[in-house]
Amino acid sequence: MPEPFDFDFVVIGSGFGGSVSALRLAEKGYRVAVIEQGRRWTPENLPKSTWNLSKWLWRPSVGLNGFFSMQFFKHVIVVHGNAVGGGSITYANTLLVPKYKIWHMGSWAGLEDWEQVMPAHYATAQKMLGVTTNRRMSAADYRLKEMAKVIGVESSFYPTEVGVFFGNDDDAPGTSYPDPYFGGAGPDRASCNGCGGCMVGCRYNAKNTLDKNYLYLAEQLGVKLFEQTKVIDVQPLAGKPDGAAGYEIKITGGKSARITCQGVVFAASSLGTQDLLFRLKEKQSLPAISEALGTFVRTNAESLIGVRFPGSADDLSTGLAIGSGIYIDEHTHIEATRYPAGSDTMGLLTTVMTMGRPGWSRPFTWLATLTKMLLTKPLTTLRALKPHNWARETMIFLCMQNLEGHLTMRLKRRWFWPFSKQLSTYGKHIPTFIPEGNDFAVKAAKATGGVAMNALTEIFLNVPMTAHCMGGAPMGRNRSDGVCDSKSRVFGYRNMYICDGSVLGANLGVNPSLTITALTEHAMSHVPLASEQTWTAIGQEIPH
Ligand SMILES: Cc1cc2nc3c(=O)[nH]c(=O)nc-3n(C[C@H](O)[C@H](O)[C@H](O)COP(=O)(O)OP(=O)(O)OC[C@H]3O[C@@H](n4cnc5c(N)ncnc54)[C@H](O)[C@@H]3O)c2cc1C
Ligand code: SF4
């Protein structure tokens, strides 16, 4: 007898949440499809540097079919990844466990005994993603340690915990190994050579991207992946508005325009899931999605600053994309970040460090600072501003704070593009810069002979940039304060889950991917085996 549905579950997006969901559902005996709008990347088709814009940037409407996307909002610029493997293709491999106090903060506080529940899921996530301590410390990492000493926080210096394969210490970097992680069920790998290229995509088979672990194993179990295919609609079937009779998924770009399934996992990232759910709620495909959609959107309160060493004898672009970190105070965390030599495009967005107040006066302060520097140190200043050799000569500091603060997102028609609605941000301005971070960069530059740098967007647009957009589909006690429950089950719909950065309920203060992975492990551990499935799961209200 033919199956009544094309698949048991459709997973929308193949990033951290999507890949974990696909594997765990397949292991439980479900027939699973993953729909991903980005493409599959291999060592052969990855760009060699960020100057290859059509392979690096993602903006298909203008012919850019890469994997790195920038979205501009009133309050923040969000950078994120679109690819088979989601953000893992362009991310910087850093996989940190946040401090446990974050489970007592924000929208998820009290929904579970998180301190009891999460350690086992973090352990699974770390094992699956091959988390280990960085063994390719490089010139920039040693220089960060030196800088930490200058302000008396040397003891906080640490090499990062990363999802990278290093092989045996005795073997040369680049040595090939049969699957080192999954007892032969995973792909062959090669050890990291410390080229610094992780954010441009690893061309050496050393980065533990999702297509080498969760997604790889899922596909081995028969999960069907539709790449370069976008989900545009999800509707309950057969007049059962709560999805009790399954769902119809409409897609673009793929071979079939319609797929039916019994359950759905939204895993399109914080921005992607919010965007899709807003549109589906507005056009009455999923009208019962909670009004809490779009609330509690957070960044890690990040700021990108740096120090450039014009003419540096050391190549600061080698090592891992994020090789080490320090804590400059209780709330402020700095990671030494880099692009590989030759990938200088981000240098176009940097300028000299400008203090002063955020807002309209800052460009004037910038002009005064630049003029003074050009008059007093003309050669050094000009060399600090030229894009050529930017990656080789620059230490980028990813500065994060774990202070509370959040935005709201809504779909809105913007005055400059009235033809369609776009996600827009509302709320209090996120501080454009972190004064503690700027002070550190200035002191560190002075002590080590460098030039402190700022992002141009902070000065001229008065908005910070974040790679860590989180929240927007918060977990809650009921449909009035959350979109899903603590097990990621959507309120109001059966067999519908959200497993990605949109469910994160607090500012983590560290990079979020490990937490997204662990939370998805938690959600999936509560899905019954296919043989025991009754297809009735729905978000559970927790009594106050
Ligand atoms: C340059 C950079 C460096 C970073 N470094 C780190 C780091 O070192 N450590 C860390 O923890 N985090 C890092 N991050 C952040 C990390 O990449 C994200 O937090 C993480 O990928 C989010 O996981 P996710 O499961 O929410 O979704 P994602 O991994 O973003 O995956 C979502 C996927 O869904 C797809 N999608 C969206 N909408 C649709 C649709 N309608 N139909 C089909 N597919 C859709 C997207 O194409 C995307 O591939 C970095 C990010 C960037 C940009
Ligand atoms: S440093 Fe180079 S080889 Fe190592 S994981 Fe990053 S891109 Fe791959």
mmCIF file of all heavy atoms in Angstrom, residues 11 13-23 36 81 83-95 125 129 163 207-211 213-215 265 267-269 499-501 512-521 524:
data_model
loop_
_atom_site.group_PDB
_atom_site.id
_atom_site.type_symbol
_atom_site.label_atom_id
_atom_site.label_comp_id
_atom_site.label_asym_id
_atom_site.label_seq_id
_atom_site.Cartn_x
_atom_site.Cartn_y
_atom_site.Cartn_z
ATOM 1 N N VAL A 11 12.064 18.600 7.695
ATOM 2 C CA VAL A 11 12.879 19.523 8.480
ATOM 3 C C VAL A 11 13.228 20.699 7.578
ATOM 4 O O VAL A 11 13.767 20.505 6.482
ATOM 5 C CB VAL A 11 14.167 18.816 8.969
ATOM 6 C CG1 VAL A 11 15.041 19.792 9.760
ATOM 7 C CG2 VAL A 11 13.842 17.582 9.814
ATOM 8 N N GLY A 13 15.551 23.575 6.857
ATOM 9 C CA GLY A 13 16.875 24.117 7.195
ATOM 10 C C GLY A 13 17.800 23.009 7.664
ATOM 11 O O GLY A 13 17.369 22.060 8.345
ATOM 12 N N SER A 14 19.078 23.120 7.274
ATOM 13 C CA SER A 14 20.021 22.026 7.586
ATOM 14 C C SER A 14 21.179 22.507 8.443
ATOM 15 O O SER A 14 22.288 21.991 8.343
ATOM 16 C CB SER A 14 20.550 21.427 6.282
ATOM 17 O OG SER A 14 21.301 22.403 5.589
ATOM 18 N N GLY A 15 20.940 23.540 9.283
ATOM 19 C CA GLY A 15 21.986 24.009 10.191
ATOM 20 C C GLY A 15 22.065 23.115 11.426
ATOM 21 O O GLY A 15 21.732 21.930 11.377
ATOM 22 N N PHE A 16 22.487 23.714 12.540
ATOM 23 C CA PHE A 16 22.713 22.910 13.745
ATOM 24 C C PHE A 16 21.427 22.221 14.188
ATOM 25 O O PHE A 16 21.395 20.999 14.360
ATOM 26 C CB PHE A 16 23.313 23.799 14.850
ATOM 27 C CG PHE A 16 24.738 24.144 14.553
ATOM 28 C CD1 PHE A 16 25.068 25.265 13.799
ATOM 29 C CD2 PHE A 16 25.760 23.313 14.970
ATOM 30 C CE1 PHE A 16 26.383 25.558 13.476
ATOM 31 C CE2 PHE A 16 27.086 23.595 14.650
ATOM 32 C CZ PHE A 16 27.395 24.720 13.906
ATOM 33 N N GLY A 17 20.337 23.007 14.350
ATOM 34 C CA GLY A 17 19.083 22.406 14.787
ATOM 35 C C GLY A 17 18.541 21.410 13.774
ATOM 36 O O GLY A 17 18.070 20.324 14.137
ATOM 37 N N GLY A 18 18.622 21.754 12.484
ATOM 38 C CA GLY A 18 18.060 20.892 11.439
ATOM 39 C C GLY A 18 18.808 19.579 11.294
ATOM 40 O O GLY A 18 18.198 18.506 11.138
ATOM 41 N N SER A 19 20.126 19.640 11.364
ATOM 42 C CA SER A 19 20.919 18.415 11.173
ATOM 43 C C SER A 19 20.732 17.450 12.336
ATOM 44 O O SER A 19 20.618 16.236 12.136
ATOM 45 C CB SER A 19 22.398 18.762 11.022
ATOM 46 O OG SER A 19 22.577 19.543 9.876
ATOM 47 N N VAL A 20 20.701 17.997 13.558
ATOM 48 C CA VAL A 20 20.478 17.126 14.725
ATOM 49 C C VAL A 20 19.094 16.476 14.610
ATOM 50 O O VAL A 20 18.943 15.258 14.790
ATOM 51 C CB VAL A 20 20.576 17.924 16.056
ATOM 52 C CG1 VAL A 20 20.274 17.028 17.247
ATOM 53 C CG2 VAL A 20 21.936 18.568 16.198
ATOM 54 N N SER A 21 18.086 17.291 14.279
ATOM 55 C CA SER A 21 16.720 16.759 14.161
ATOM 56 C C SER A 21 16.671 15.643 13.123
ATOM 57 O O SER A 21 16.082 14.574 13.360
ATOM 58 C CB SER A 21 15.743 17.855 13.735
ATOM 59 O OG SER A 21 15.814 18.945 14.591
ATOM 60 N N ALA A 22 17.288 15.877 11.957
ATOM 61 C CA ALA A 22 17.224 14.883 10.869
ATOM 62 C C ALA A 22 17.812 13.554 11.317
ATOM 63 O O ALA A 22 17.210 12.489 11.114
ATOM 64 C CB ALA A 22 17.973 15.417 9.650
ATOM 65 N N LEU A 23 18.984 13.613 11.958
ATOM 66 C CA LEU A 23 19.619 12.343 12.355
ATOM 67 C C LEU A 23 18.797 11.639 13.429
ATOM 68 O O LEU A 23 18.499 10.433 13.318
ATOM 69 C CB LEU A 23 21.042 12.592 12.878
ATOM 70 C CG LEU A 23 21.718 11.326 13.435
ATOM 71 C CD1 LEU A 23 21.872 10.257 12.351
ATOM 72 C CD2 LEU A 23 23.070 11.639 14.067
ATOM 73 N N GLU A 36 16.633 22.611 2.185
ATOM 74 C CA GLU A 36 17.664 23.625 2.443
ATOM 75 C C GLU A 36 17.784 24.554 1.249
ATOM 76 O O GLU A 36 18.009 24.112 0.129
ATOM 77 C CB GLU A 36 18.997 22.917 2.728
ATOM 78 C CG GLU A 36 20.213 23.824 2.774
ATOM 79 C CD GLU A 36 20.100 24.979 3.770
ATOM 80 O OE1 GLU A 36 19.902 24.724 4.970
ATOM 81 O OE2 GLU A 36 20.195 26.152 3.325
ATOM 82 N N GLY A 81 24.783 32.137 7.984
ATOM 83 C CA GLY A 81 25.149 31.237 6.889
ATOM 84 C C GLY A 81 23.931 30.589 6.246
ATOM 85 O O GLY A 81 22.932 30.321 6.908
ATOM 86 N N ALA A 83 23.506 27.331 3.720
ATOM 87 C CA ALA A 83 24.221 26.275 2.995
ATOM 88 C C ALA A 83 23.715 24.930 3.488
ATOM 89 O O ALA A 83 23.044 24.857 4.523
ATOM 90 C CB ALA A 83 25.717 26.368 3.281
ATOM 91 N N VAL A 84 24.038 23.877 2.745
ATOM 92 C CA VAL A 84 23.834 22.534 3.301
ATOM 93 C C VAL A 84 24.831 22.431 4.463
ATOM 94 O O VAL A 84 26.035 22.545 4.264
ATOM 95 C CB VAL A 84 24.107 21.455 2.223
ATOM 96 C CG1 VAL A 84 24.124 20.067 2.857
ATOM 97 C CG2 VAL A 84 23.062 21.544 1.119
ATOM 98 N N GLY A 85 24.295 22.294 5.674
ATOM 99 C CA GLY A 85 25.143 22.399 6.867
ATOM 100 C C GLY A 85 24.955 23.752 7.549
ATOM 101 O O GLY A 85 25.615 24.053 8.540
ATOM 102 N N GLY A 86 24.060 24.601 7.007
ATOM 103 C CA GLY A 86 23.703 25.874 7.642
ATOM 104 C C GLY A 86 24.927 26.730 7.942
ATOM 105 O O GLY A 86 25.876 26.807 7.150
ATOM 106 N N GLY A 87 24.913 27.341 9.113
ATOM 107 C CA GLY A 87 26.005 28.228 9.515
ATOM 108 C C GLY A 87 27.319 27.503 9.745
ATOM 109 O O GLY A 87 28.363 28.149 9.854
ATOM 110 N N SER A 88 27.302 26.178 9.798
ATOM 111 C CA SER A 88 28.556 25.469 10.115
ATOM 112 C C SER A 88 29.598 25.621 9.014
ATOM 113 O O SER A 88 30.788 25.480 9.254
ATOM 114 C CB SER A 88 28.295 23.983 10.402
ATOM 115 O OG SER A 88 28.098 23.241 9.210
ATOM 116 N N ILE A 89 29.165 25.927 7.792
ATOM 117 C CA ILE A 89 30.123 26.061 6.686
ATOM 118 C C ILE A 89 30.979 27.314 6.872
ATOM 119 O O ILE A 89 32.176 27.308 6.633
ATOM 120 C CB ILE A 89 29.379 26.099 5.317
ATOM 121 C CG1 ILE A 89 28.510 24.842 5.141
ATOM 122 C CG2 ILE A 89 30.342 26.274 4.138
ATOM 123 C CD1 ILE A 89 29.245 23.516 5.233
ATOM 124 N N THR A 90 30.356 28.388 7.362
ATOM 125 C CA THR A 90 31.086 29.659 7.490
ATOM 126 C C THR A 90 31.441 29.992 8.937
ATOM 127 O O THR A 90 32.154 30.957 9.199
ATOM 128 C CB THR A 90 30.267 30.826 6.873
ATOM 129 O OG1 THR A 90 31.067 31.993 6.813
ATOM 130 C CG2 THR A 90 29.016 31.130 7.659
ATOM 131 N N TYR A 91 30.984 29.179 9.886
ATOM 132 C CA TYR A 91 31.221 29.595 11.273
ATOM 133 C C TYR A 91 32.680 29.332 11.665
ATOM 134 O O TYR A 91 33.455 28.743 10.911
ATOM 135 C CB TYR A 91 30.207 28.961 12.236
ATOM 136 C CG TYR A 91 30.563 27.660 12.892
ATOM 137 C CD1 TYR A 91 30.277 27.428 14.240
ATOM 138 C CD2 TYR A 91 31.160 26.627 12.185
ATOM 139 C CE1 TYR A 91 30.576 26.241 14.860
ATOM 140 C CE2 TYR A 91 31.468 25.425 12.820
ATOM 141 C CZ TYR A 91 31.179 25.257 14.153
ATOM 142 O OH TYR A 91 31.486 24.077 14.769
ATOM 143 N N ALA A 92 33.030 29.822 12.882
ATOM 144 C CA ALA A 92 34.437 29.810 13.286
ATOM 145 C C ALA A 92 34.745 28.665 14.250
ATOM 146 O O ALA A 92 35.710 28.746 15.014
ATOM 147 C CB ALA A 92 34.799 31.154 13.894
ATOM 148 N N ASN A 93 33.988 27.631 14.231
ATOM 149 C CA ASN A 93 34.229 26.343 14.945
ATOM 150 C C ASN A 93 34.173 26.398 16.462
ATOM 151 O O ASN A 93 34.426 25.379 17.107
ATOM 152 C CB ASN A 93 35.619 25.747 14.660
ATOM 153 C CG ASN A 93 36.144 25.954 13.297
ATOM 154 O OD1 ASN A 93 35.450 25.661 12.344
ATOM 155 N ND2 ASN A 93 37.365 26.427 13.182
ATOM 156 N N THR A 94 33.927 27.567 17.041
ATOM 157 C CA THR A 94 34.043 27.678 18.499
ATOM 158 C C THR A 94 32.791 27.133 19.169
ATOM 159 O O THR A 94 31.681 27.573 18.856
ATOM 160 C CB THR A 94 34.247 29.155 18.902
ATOM 161 O OG1 THR A 94 35.359 29.620 18.166
ATOM 162 C CG2 THR A 94 34.509 29.315 20.368
ATOM 163 N N LEU A 95 32.974 26.180 20.050
ATOM 164 C CA LEU A 95 31.827 25.487 20.649
ATOM 165 C C LEU A 95 31.982 25.494 22.163
ATOM 166 O O LEU A 95 32.664 24.639 22.737
ATOM 167 C CB LEU A 95 31.750 24.060 20.089
ATOM 168 C CG LEU A 95 31.413 24.010 18.581
ATOM 169 C CD1 LEU A 95 31.714 22.649 17.981
ATOM 170 C CD2 LEU A 95 29.957 24.388 18.323
ATOM 171 N N ALA A 125 26.374 16.553 22.388
ATOM 172 C CA ALA A 125 26.666 17.528 21.320
ATOM 173 C C ALA A 125 28.177 17.656 21.127
ATOM 174 O O ALA A 125 28.672 17.683 19.991
ATOM 175 C CB ALA A 125 26.043 18.880 21.677
ATOM 176 N N LEU A 129 30.092 16.680 17.644
ATOM 177 C CA LEU A 129 30.759 17.749 16.878
ATOM 178 C C LEU A 129 32.280 17.693 17.042
ATOM 179 O O LEU A 129 33.012 18.537 16.518
ATOM 180 C CB LEU A 129 30.227 19.121 17.318
ATOM 181 C CG LEU A 129 28.732 19.372 17.029
ATOM 182 C CD1 LEU A 129 28.260 20.673 17.667
ATOM 183 C CD2 LEU A 129 28.460 19.410 15.521
ATOM 184 N N GLY A 163 35.374 22.589 17.145
ATOM 185 C CA GLY A 163 34.970 21.387 16.405
ATOM 186 C C GLY A 163 35.873 21.228 15.193
ATOM 187 O O GLY A 163 35.469 21.526 14.066
ATOM 188 N N LYS A 207 37.598 20.678 9.240
ATOM 189 C CA LYS A 207 36.585 21.339 10.075
ATOM 190 C C LYS A 207 35.394 20.404 10.225
ATOM 191 O O LYS A 207 34.917 19.842 9.230
ATOM 192 C CB LYS A 207 36.189 22.638 9.367
ATOM 193 C CG LYS A 207 35.183 23.495 10.081
ATOM 194 C CD LYS A 207 34.919 24.756 9.252
ATOM 195 C CE LYS A 207 33.889 25.641 9.917
ATOM 196 N NZ LYS A 207 33.590 26.840 9.134
ATOM 197 N N ASN A 208 34.895 20.273 11.446
ATOM 198 C CA ASN A 208 33.792 19.334 11.691
ATOM 199 C C ASN A 208 32.451 19.984 11.351
ATOM 200 O O ASN A 208 31.597 20.194 12.215
ATOM 201 C CB ASN A 208 33.798 18.876 13.147
ATOM 202 C CG ASN A 208 35.056 18.089 13.478
ATOM 203 O OD1 ASN A 208 35.782 17.659 12.577
ATOM 204 N ND2 ASN A 208 35.320 17.910 14.758
ATOM 205 N N THR A 209 32.264 20.314 10.085
ATOM 206 C CA THR A 209 30.993 20.894 9.646
ATOM 207 C C THR A 209 29.899 19.823 9.715
ATOM 208 O O THR A 209 30.189 18.619 9.738
ATOM 209 C CB THR A 209 31.131 21.426 8.206
ATOM 210 O OG1 THR A 209 31.792 20.433 7.424
ATOM 211 C CG2 THR A 209 31.958 22.692 8.164
ATOM 212 N N LEU A 210 28.657 20.255 9.712
ATOM 213 C CA LEU A 210 27.553 19.314 9.943
ATOM 214 C C LEU A 210 27.437 18.249 8.852
ATOM 215 O O LEU A 210 26.963 17.143 9.101
ATOM 216 C CB LEU A 210 26.240 20.094 10.065
ATOM 217 C CG LEU A 210 26.183 20.983 11.318
ATOM 218 C CD1 LEU A 210 25.141 22.074 11.161
ATOM 219 C CD2 LEU A 210 25.927 20.137 12.564
ATOM 220 N N ASP A 211 27.904 18.580 7.650
ATOM 221 C CA ASP A 211 27.851 17.579 6.572
ATOM 222 C C ASP A 211 28.882 16.476 6.770
ATOM 223 O O ASP A 211 28.959 15.541 5.967
ATOM 224 C CB ASP A 211 28.026 18.246 5.197
ATOM 225 C CG ASP A 211 29.261 19.129 5.133
ATOM 226 O OD1 ASP A 211 29.813 19.461 6.205
ATOM 227 O OD2 ASP A 211 29.692 19.476 4.022
ATOM 228 N N ASN A 213 29.199 15.140 10.064
ATOM 229 C CA ASN A 213 28.768 14.395 11.263
ATOM 230 C C ASN A 213 27.251 14.177 11.225
ATOM 231 O O ASN A 213 26.793 13.240 10.566
ATOM 232 C CB ASN A 213 29.260 15.059 12.554
ATOM 233 C CG ASN A 213 29.183 16.583 12.502
ATOM 234 O OD1 ASN A 213 28.086 17.134 12.427
ATOM 235 N ND2 ASN A 213 30.324 17.259 12.525
ATOM 236 N N TYR A 214 26.478 15.020 11.886
ATOM 237 C CA TYR A 214 25.033 14.780 11.978
ATOM 238 C C TYR A 214 24.387 14.541 10.611
ATOM 239 O O TYR A 214 23.681 13.565 10.404
ATOM 240 C CB TYR A 214 24.346 15.974 12.643
ATOM 241 C CG TYR A 214 24.452 16.028 14.152
ATOM 242 C CD1 TYR A 214 25.306 16.908 14.790
ATOM 243 C CD2 TYR A 214 23.660 15.199 14.959
ATOM 244 C CE1 TYR A 214 25.376 16.979 16.179
ATOM 245 C CE2 TYR A 214 23.720 15.263 16.345
ATOM 246 C CZ TYR A 214 24.577 16.159 16.948
ATOM 247 O OH TYR A 214 24.636 16.219 18.322
ATOM 248 N N LEU A 215 24.635 15.467 9.679
ATOM 249 C CA LEU A 215 23.941 15.387 8.399
ATOM 250 C C LEU A 215 24.442 14.209 7.566
ATOM 251 O O LEU A 215 23.664 13.530 6.880
ATOM 252 C CB LEU A 215 24.166 16.708 7.646
ATOM 253 C CG LEU A 215 23.106 17.172 6.684
ATOM 254 C CD1 LEU A 215 21.721 17.137 7.294
ATOM 255 C CD2 LEU A 215 23.434 18.596 6.220
ATOM 256 N N VAL A 265 9.603 20.190 11.381
ATOM 257 C CA VAL A 265 10.565 20.837 12.279
ATOM 258 C C VAL A 265 11.035 22.117 11.600
ATOM 259 O O VAL A 265 11.621 22.068 10.516
ATOM 260 C CB VAL A 265 11.782 19.924 12.561
ATOM 261 C CG1 VAL A 265 12.756 20.629 13.513
ATOM 262 C CG2 VAL A 265 11.349 18.572 13.141
ATOM 263 N N ALA A 267 13.699 24.723 11.376
ATOM 264 C CA ALA A 267 15.100 24.823 11.799
ATOM 265 C C ALA A 267 15.830 25.770 10.861
ATOM 266 O O ALA A 267 16.943 25.515 10.420
ATOM 267 C CB ALA A 267 15.742 23.435 11.781
ATOM 268 N N ALA A 268 15.177 26.872 10.550
ATOM 269 C CA ALA A 268 15.665 27.790 9.511
ATOM 270 C C ALA A 268 16.511 28.922 10.096
ATOM 271 O O ALA A 268 16.783 29.901 9.420
ATOM 272 C CB ALA A 268 14.486 28.351 8.723
ATOM 273 N N SER A 269 16.908 28.807 11.361
ATOM 274 C CA SER A 269 17.692 29.801 12.118
ATOM 275 C C SER A 269 16.757 30.843 12.734
ATOM 276 O O SER A 269 15.587 30.925 12.359
ATOM 277 C CB SER A 269 18.757 30.521 11.276
ATOM 278 O OG SER A 269 18.175 31.558 10.512
ATOM 279 N N CYS A 499 13.455 23.977 16.192
ATOM 280 C CA CYS A 499 14.761 23.562 16.714
ATOM 281 C C CYS A 499 15.860 24.369 16.032
ATOM 282 O O CYS A 499 16.449 23.934 15.034
ATOM 283 C CB CYS A 499 14.981 22.071 16.455
ATOM 284 S SG CYS A 499 13.866 21.018 17.385
ATOM 285 N N ASP A 500 16.113 25.537 16.525
ATOM 286 C CA ASP A 500 17.210 26.363 16.001
ATOM 287 C C ASP A 500 17.447 27.519 16.965
ATOM 288 O O ASP A 500 16.885 27.531 18.071
ATOM 289 C CB ASP A 500 16.893 26.872 14.574
ATOM 290 C CG ASP A 500 15.598 27.677 14.510
ATOM 291 O OD1 ASP A 500 15.193 28.230 15.540
ATOM 292 O OD2 ASP A 500 14.995 27.737 13.425
ATOM 293 N N GLY A 501 18.240 28.484 16.541
ATOM 294 C CA GLY A 501 18.589 29.596 17.420
ATOM 295 C C GLY A 501 17.414 30.440 17.859
ATOM 296 O O GLY A 501 17.533 31.200 18.820
ATOM 297 N N PRO A 512 26.734 30.538 20.166
ATOM 298 C CA PRO A 512 25.535 29.749 20.495
ATOM 299 C C PRO A 512 25.402 28.336 19.913
ATOM 300 O O PRO A 512 24.512 27.599 20.306
ATOM 301 C CB PRO A 512 24.409 30.611 19.936
ATOM 302 C CG PRO A 512 25.024 31.337 18.796
ATOM 303 C CD PRO A 512 26.473 31.533 19.113
ATOM 304 N N SER A 513 26.242 27.938 18.943
ATOM 305 C CA SER A 513 25.932 26.714 18.185
ATOM 306 C C SER A 513 25.890 25.447 19.047
ATOM 307 O O SER A 513 25.071 24.549 18.809
ATOM 308 C CB SER A 513 26.926 26.537 17.038
ATOM 309 O OG SER A 513 26.869 27.663 16.203
ATOM 310 N N LEU A 514 26.780 25.370 20.038
ATOM 311 C CA LEU A 514 26.762 24.167 20.875
ATOM 312 C C LEU A 514 25.455 24.093 21.666
ATOM 313 O O LEU A 514 24.869 23.005 21.830
ATOM 314 C CB LEU A 514 27.963 24.151 21.828
ATOM 315 C CG LEU A 514 28.131 22.841 22.593
ATOM 316 C CD1 LEU A 514 28.563 21.709 21.654
ATOM 317 C CD2 LEU A 514 29.152 22.981 23.729
ATOM 318 N N THR A 515 24.970 25.232 22.112
ATOM 319 C CA THR A 515 23.716 25.251 22.880
ATOM 320 C C THR A 515 22.528 24.902 21.978
ATOM 321 O O THR A 515 21.615 24.175 22.392
ATOM 322 C CB THR A 515 23.534 26.624 23.564
ATOM 323 O OG1 THR A 515 24.641 26.813 24.446
ATOM 324 C CG2 THR A 515 22.246 26.707 24.350
ATOM 325 N N ILE A 516 22.536 25.377 20.730
ATOM 326 C CA ILE A 516 21.449 25.024 19.789
ATOM 327 C C ILE A 516 21.472 23.503 19.565
ATOM 328 O O ILE A 516 20.427 22.839 19.569
ATOM 329 C CB ILE A 516 21.631 25.778 18.448
ATOM 330 C CG1 ILE A 516 21.498 27.289 18.671
ATOM 331 C CG2 ILE A 516 20.618 25.303 17.405
ATOM 332 C CD1 ILE A 516 21.924 28.157 17.485
ATOM 333 N N THR A 517 22.663 22.950 19.407
ATOM 334 C CA THR A 517 22.800 21.505 19.197
ATOM 335 C C THR A 517 22.281 20.737 20.417
ATOM 336 O O THR A 517 21.485 19.789 20.286
ATOM 337 C CB THR A 517 24.292 21.153 18.950
ATOM 338 O OG1 THR A 517 24.787 22.001 17.922
ATOM 339 C CG2 THR A 517 24.481 19.712 18.552
ATOM 340 N N ALA A 518 22.703 21.163 21.602
ATOM 341 C CA ALA A 518 22.311 20.456 22.827
ATOM 342 C C ALA A 518 20.805 20.569 23.071
ATOM 343 O O ALA A 518 20.150 19.591 23.463
ATOM 344 C CB ALA A 518 23.091 21.016 24.011
ATOM 345 N N LEU A 519 20.239 21.764 22.812
ATOM 346 C CA LEU A 519 18.789 21.934 23.025
ATOM 347 C C LEU A 519 17.987 21.078 22.038
ATOM 348 O O LEU A 519 16.907 20.577 22.372
ATOM 349 C CB LEU A 519 18.403 23.393 22.820
ATOM 350 C CG LEU A 519 18.345 24.286 24.046
ATOM 351 C CD1 LEU A 519 17.924 25.678 23.636
ATOM 352 C CD2 LEU A 519 17.391 23.742 25.117
ATOM 353 N N THR A 520 18.513 20.934 20.817
ATOM 354 C CA THR A 520 17.810 20.089 19.842
ATOM 355 C C THR A 520 17.911 18.620 20.252
ATOM 356 O O THR A 520 16.941 17.857 20.114
ATOM 357 C CB THR A 520 18.381 20.310 18.419
ATOM 358 O OG1 THR A 520 18.371 21.712 18.147
ATOM 359 C CG2 THR A 520 17.552 19.599 17.377
ATOM 360 N N GLU A 521 19.070 18.219 20.789
ATOM 361 C CA GLU A 521 19.186 16.856 21.326
ATOM 362 C C GLU A 521 18.109 16.651 22.395
ATOM 363 O O GLU A 521 17.453 15.601 22.448
ATOM 364 C CB GLU A 521 20.582 16.620 21.932
ATOM 365 C CG GLU A 521 21.721 16.533 20.918
ATOM 366 C CD GLU A 521 21.815 15.161 20.242
ATOM 367 O OE1 GLU A 521 20.922 14.321 20.459
ATOM 368 O OE2 GLU A 521 22.774 14.966 19.463
ATOM 369 N N MET A 524 14.625 16.386 20.717
ATOM 370 C CA MET A 524 14.456 15.135 19.967
ATOM 371 C C MET A 524 14.390 13.915 20.893
ATOM 372 O O MET A 524 13.785 12.904 20.554
ATOM 373 C CB MET A 524 15.593 14.975 18.943
ATOM 374 C CG MET A 524 15.497 15.951 17.803
ATOM 375 S SD MET A 524 13.991 15.697 16.821
ATOM 376 C CE MET A 524 13.169 17.275 16.974
#
